[in-house]
Amino acid sequence: EMSIGDWSSDVCSSDLALSRDPAVLELHAAPGNPGTALLGANHFVDPLDGRVVADLAIQLGVNLVVVGPEAPLVAGVADAVRANGVPCFGPSAAAAQLEGSKAFAKQVMAAARVPTAGSRECVTRAQVDQALDSFGPPYVVKDDGLAAGKGVVVTEDRQLAVDHALKCRRVVVEEFLDGPEVSLFGITDGRTVRALQPAQDFKRVGDGDSGPNTGGMGAYTPLPWAPDDLADEVTRTVLQPTIDEMARRGTPFSGLLYAGLALTRDGVRVVEFNARFGDPETQPLLARLATPLGGLLYAAATDDLAAHPALEWGSGAAVGVVLAAAGYPGTPRTGGVITGLDEATSNGSMIIHAGTSIDPHGNLISVGGRVLAVVGLGEDIAEARDRAYSSIVEIRLDGSFYRRDIAAAAAQLVVS
């Protein structure tokens, strides 16, 4: 039996899955949102302040702290919690540099012989120009640091690539990887790795993969077109070697290692690592995970993952569609009233809150770019997709929008 603190600053997909674990008796979120408030207690503290978070965990007597977003991990919140003797799911600040620095991740992959795109680190205009000349278009330019999913530019426009590079202190310029992208999450205690099922997200803001990159506009799982042994292959060639290399360096990685992958004609290549559950893939993945999440994360946090049973999955499929505010991914319009959630969940779909809050009049309002996600479940992708879209159309937020082609090709593939 557990009391859990989930230090997630913007989403409650993990909270929802944790709340379904019969061993979880209490759920606390900091700072939380209106979605987490439905599942437990919100605590309005600074999630970036490790001392405050650790003190709150002790005060509440929680058995496990789950640090959700990347910024608190890079800031060392997990270190502070563990230093106070509370089990914590989430890597140390040193290990979280796998996400915090693209250049560091490339160095680790090189040492671990993990297949990835060729790249160059650049800090000057001359270096940027040389790298762009070397790799050619499409140009891939990545901010070395954290950028909330919006630090990557992929473009045929040389000037756009240069402009993005000059806005960053340090960038990594990469070769373009051609092929479908896949996300694979690995739960790890620093030695053992348990892979979740593959998922695919949609990063461009518009239908047909048009417009700028975002934090993600939707996702689905499973992938009917992917090789059956993809998770095993990626665990063997990417996740396990990376975890072993981090341990060899004396900075073991314990928590969630997210591998963004490209399935190229030359094989699997790593696009990027994240150090935590990544949205929007987390929502459909956890909706299908039958293994109780609290016990799984606790096993990882207490170095006992090897003894944990194999992961079990529900049958069928899950599709998540993100509702975004007007102006996203630029400057989103905030403060709009959100209605229609009861109607949206009448067919069994789930609503995962992200950029939401409650105004002084008790209205649910938008306070971020990605406002919420609707997750539909079904026997196959087509059914799950139909449920997600028949739900999201019920939600009202002035100026909001969503992609209408999430999982469309995969649904057609299954039908045909």
Side-chain angles (χ1 to χ4, degrees), residues 227-296:
D228 291 340
D229 64 347
L230 181 61
D232 291 337
E233 179 192 349
V234 173
T235 300
R236 184 180 71 255
T237 63
V238 174
L239 300 179
Q240 193 69 58
T242 301
I243 295 303
D244 292 345
E245 172 62 19
M246 293 297 287
R248 188 190 68 76
R249 290 169 174 243
T251 52
F253 186 104
S254 171
L256 191 292
L257 180 60
Y258 164 124
L261 310 163
L263 306 189
T264 75
R265 70 189 78 182
D266 299 318
V268 174
R269 297 289 184 271
V270 175
V271 176
E272 66 174 353
F273 283 134
N274 288 344
R276 37 78 202 188
F277 282 110
D279 297 306
E281 302 96 320
T282 299
Q283 286 90 329
L285 277 168
L286 293 187
R288 291 191 56 244
L289 180 65
T291 296
L293 185 62
L296 175 63

Side-chain angles (χ1 to χ4, degrees), residues 13-64:
S13 47
S14 57
D15 298 74
L16 186 59
L18 288 167
S19 71
R20 297 198 304 262
D21 187 333
V24 175
L25 301 183
E26 294 179 17
L27 195 59
H28 301 270
N33 61 32
T36 58
L38 299 174
L39 305 172
N42 286 347
H43 301 270
F44 298 99
V45 301
D46 181 1
L48 293 173
D49 190 323
R51 181 182 58 79
V52 168
V53 171
D55 288 348
L56 179 61
I58 292 171
Q59 174 191 330
L60 295 172
V62 299
N63 308 98
L64 174 67

Side-chain angles (χ1 to χ4, degrees), residues 12 15 47 106 113 143 157 162 250 314 335 338 342 349 364 366 380 399:
C12 62
D15 298 74
K106 287 291 187 183
R113 298 184 177 179
D143 190 337
D157 187 326
V162 171
I338 306 163
D342 288 343
S349 293
L364 183 69
S366 64
D380 56 28

